[in-house]
Amino acid sequence: MWLFIAFLAVPLIEITLFIQIGGAIGLGWTLATVVITAIIGTVLVRNQGALALTQLRASFSDMKDPTEPLVHGAMILFSGALLLTPGFFTDAIGFLLLIPGVRTAVFAAIRARVNIQTMGPGPRDGFQDTRRAHYQNDVIEGEYSEARPEDDSPSGPSGWTRH
């Protein structure tokens, strides 16, 4: 339902803004403004995207959670799509998403609404220390003898013969 409202509202807002701004500054300046914002937006998206990619690589090399740099990269990509779409409302949203503080606030809002579940043994270092402490002092005593098959029948595990 929200998506339908957005697809209906955004074009209506854009048409209204084009009429209002075009009436105030004229058709030529309106078109020039749309083209200039697209060019400026492309340059900013390229710079912000390179920065987000650097942060993503750093999170991989430091073995940190890459969620935040990935979400920032996705928002920058979405911002680029909005800035290339002709219109003043989409340009305003696109430029807002290029501001790191706004992206951080959007990420915090998204993270608050999403329930993330992880699977695994828990913290890696604690798991390794627990296993090491558990097995370090265990001593297993026993006796053994070699079992030799009486014939050429295939042997199972530990030299047991099958009959």
Side-chain angles (χ1 to χ4, degrees), residues 55-154:
Q55 291 172 347
L56 180 64
R57 287 181 181 157
S59 70
F60 283 142
S61 66
D62 295 341
M63 299 297 288
K64 292 183 181 176
D65 183 19
T67 305
E68 190 167 359
L70 281 172
V71 172
H72 279 270
M75 284 191 269
I76 291 168
L77 182 66
F78 184 64
S79 170
L82 289 174
L83 288 168
L84 290 176
T85 303
F88 293 103
F89 180 70
T90 54
D91 285 350
I93 301 291
F95 280 122
L96 279 175
L97 285 176
L98 287 179
I99 300 170
V102 172
R103 286 196 312 264
T104 302
V106 170
F107 176 69
I110 292 171
R111 184 171 243 172
R113 296 187 70 183
V114 174
N115 182 16
I116 299 173
Q117 296 180 353
T118 59
M119 294 181 65
R124 187 177 182 137
D125 293 332
F127 181 71
Q128 289 176 345
D129 290 341
T130 302
R131 287 186 62 170
R132 194 176 306 120
H134 177 70
Y135 291 111
Q136 190 173 18
N137 297 325
D138 288 347
V139 176
I140 299 174
E141 294 183 20
E143 297 179 13
Y144 73 94
S145 61
E146 285 189 36
R148 295 193 178 134
E150 297 174 12
D151 58 349
D152 290 335
S153 63

Side-chain angles (χ1 to χ4, degrees), residues 14-32:
E14 291 292 1
I15 291 170
T16 303
L17 287 173
F18 270 121
I19 291 171
Q20 293 294 320
I21 293 172
I25 64 173
L27 177 65
W29 286 111
T30 303
L31 294 176

Side-chain angles (χ1 to χ4, degrees), residues 31-54:
L31 294 176
T33 303
V34 170
V35 171
I36 289 170
T37 56
I39 292 170
I40 292 170
T42 303
V43 171
L44 290 173
V45 165
R46 184 176 179 186
N47 292 339
Q48 291 287 322
L51 180 63
L53 188 60
T54 301

